[in-house]
Amino acid sequence: RSSNPMFLTAAELATLTGYRQKGRQLARLRQMGIPFWTNAAGQPVVARAAIEGRKAPARQSPEWAQHCSASGY
């Protein structure tokens, strides 16, 4: 198991895509239909949950947004 349980490591990403170059990794992830984000360096970031078949934790709305929708704003 990796030291970062939330995201794939660079080595795992290279194994998954078959590429080490970020541009090729991005293209391959799109072809495979695997959801990812790009970080500030333009490198793909893949949540481990996307590969393991688990649902990623749901994002919760900020508390202020919940208050606005409850009050009709």
Side-chain angles (χ1 to χ4, degrees):
R1 188 99 188 180
S2 77
S3 61
N4 186 347
M6 186 171 281
F7 302 107
L8 297 183
T9 65
E12 290 170 326
L13 191 55
T15 299
L16 176 67
T17 62
Y19 298 106
R20 293 200 175 277
Q21 295 175 326
K22 65 183 174 185
R24 290 181 183 222
Q25 288 177 338
L26 294 169
R28 185 66 181 135
L29 289 168
R30 286 186 188 103
Q31 289 173 345
M32 297 169 79
I34 296 174
F36 65 92
W37 298 271
T38 53
N39 65 16
Q43 297 170 319
V45 177
V46 177
R48 189 170 298 282
I51 302 304
E52 293 179 346
R54 293 181 287 133
K55 286 190 173 185
R59 291 186 183 181
Q60 292 184 341
S61 299
E63 188 175 318
W64 61 267
Q66 293 172 356
H67 290 299
C68 289
S69 62
S71 62
Y73 288 104

